[in-house]
Amino acid sequence: MGSQTFGERSSSLAGYAWMSLAVLIWASWLVLTSSGRTTTLAVIDLAGFRAIIPTVVLAPLLWHHRRTIAQLGAARCLLLSAYGAPFSLLVGHGLSIAPVAHAGAVVPGLMPVFAVALAYVFLGERLSRGSFLALTLILSSAAAILLRGADELAVHDMRLGHLLFLLGALCWACFAVTIRAFEIPAFLGTALVGAVSIIWLLPLWIVSDLSNIAETHWTDIAFQALFQGIISGLISIYAFGRALRLIGGQAPVLSALTPGVAAILAVPALGQVPQLPDALALGGVVIGLVILNIGLKLP
């Protein structure tokens, strides 16, 4: 009995460790994708790494499931790919003109909000009273950030960044709802995201003048390729999947810490210290996400 308890405790600790790793990677992605602040590479370069590298690694999986992919059809594959290049380009450009703390509140904060809304409309899923209150808290807290600007001269640009964050969150919701509706395995969904993104992103990447690879030092290229393609594109998904298996519904609850962790990392990495109203609103988003995830797991 004692050994079983010890085994369960070890599994729980391992689950929390895997989930902590996933949260750290997600938060780091927001910081390290801040174009012009942490890298000289362009946003399209980062999006290319995030699409091409996981696709190459998971190519055997794509071939093995080619019949399943054919049955999904082009429209569903396009919905999945919204979390690929569109998400990376939208959030990446938004991060070039708005702070990471704002991205942390709006992107991870509104991703589940949009997902719940789409699931309600297209899948007929009902919303509990607790979930509704949590969504209200998230929306009001995110709105507090969206409706204010730290510098009057930068308000226009910052609100453009906020709009890009909103569209990025919607892209993730399209991916998440499609994954759930058709029970697509996480790694297969990731491979499809990259493969479909490559179809239109690669020609644009090659022929346009948007890339900065030629002017970037090889160490920066290698680091971003490793982080965007392997760590963010593959390891974070594996870590989240392991956490789900080991601690179940606690994993999504812990994912609510992503906005706060991103804001903390942005202080030493980018010198972005959230103002008090932004910090309070960010706290509201985190609390709302925790309540929402707990509510969604309750019967």
Side-chain angles (χ1 to χ4, degrees):
M1 189 75 176
S3 61
Q4 184 178 2
T5 303
F6 176 79
E8 291 175 351
R9 190 174 302 166
S10 298
S11 294
S12 295
L13 288 174
Y16 288 122
W18 281 114
M19 194 60 226
S20 298
L21 176 61
V23 168
L24 181 60
I25 293 172
W26 293 337
S28 298
W29 183 86
L30 289 171
V31 174
L32 293 176
T33 306
S34 293
S35 179
R37 296 185 176 125
T38 60
T39 177
T40 56
L41 289 165
V43 174
I44 196 170
D45 299 323
L46 304 181
F49 293 152
R50 192 167 178 263
I52 291 174
I53 295 174
T55 304
V56 171
V57 173
L58 298 175
L61 185 68
L62 284 169
W63 176 255
H64 180 72
H65 291 280
R66 59 191 183 278
R67 292 183 179 176
T68 303
I69 295 171
Q71 291 174 353
L72 282 174
R76 293 165 187 166
C77 289
L78 283 173
L79 285 173
L80 287 173
S81 72
Y83 186 44
F87 177 86
S88 298
L89 293 173
L90 289 166
V91 178
H93 281 295
L95 284 165
S96 68
I97 52 181
V100 169
H102 292 196
V106 177
V107 181
L110 295 186
M111 288 191 310
V113 174
F114 284 134
V116 168
L118 291 177
Y120 176 81
V121 173
F122 294 104
L123 304 181
E125 294 187 2
R126 295 188 176 184
L127 198 62
S128 68
R129 182 178 299 177
S131 296
F132 178 79
L133 292 175
L135 291 175
T136 302
L137 177 58
I138 294 170
L139 287 171
S140 59
S141 299
I145 287 179
L146 292 172
L147 295 176
R148 67 180 300 273
D151 180 355
E152 290 185 2
L153 297 177
V155 167
H156 178 73
D157 287 342
M158 192 177 293
R159 288 187 177 170
L160 174 60
H162 293 164
L163 175 61
L164 296 176
F165 294 154
L166 286 169
L167 294 174
L170 181 60
C171 285
W172 181 89
C174 291
F175 164 83
V177 172
T178 304
I179 285 279
R180 288 174 53 197
F182 301 100
E183 299 182 347
I184 302 169
F187 272 120
L188 178 58
T190 302
L192 280 169
V193 165
V196 178
S197 293
I198 288 174
I199 293 174
W200 64 269
L201 181 62
L202 191 57
L204 179 65
W205 195 16
I206 293 173
V207 304
S208 73
D209 295 326
L210 300 176
S211 174
N212 288 341
I213 285 184
E215 295 82 28
T216 303
H217 196 272
W218 71 267
T219 55
D220 196 12
I221 295 173
F223 173 77
Q224 287 290 344
L226 174 65
F227 180 81
Q228 299 287 339
I230 302 298
I231 297 177
S232 177
L234 293 173
I235 294 178
S236 65
I237 295 173
Y238 178 79
F240 184 55
R242 288 288 296 165
L244 280 173
R245 287 181 175 233
L246 293 170
I247 57 176
Q250 290 300 311
V253 175
L254 292 175
S255 71
L257 298 176
T258 302
V261 175
I264 292 170
L265 292 177
V267 175
L270 305 175
Q272 295 180 359
V273 180
Q275 296 186 6
L276 181 59
D278 290 341
L280 293 174
L282 190 63
V285 170
V286 171
I287 293 171
L289 285 171
V290 171
I291 296 172
L292 176 64
N293 282 299
I294 292 175
L296 291 176
K297 298 301 173 186
L298 293 176

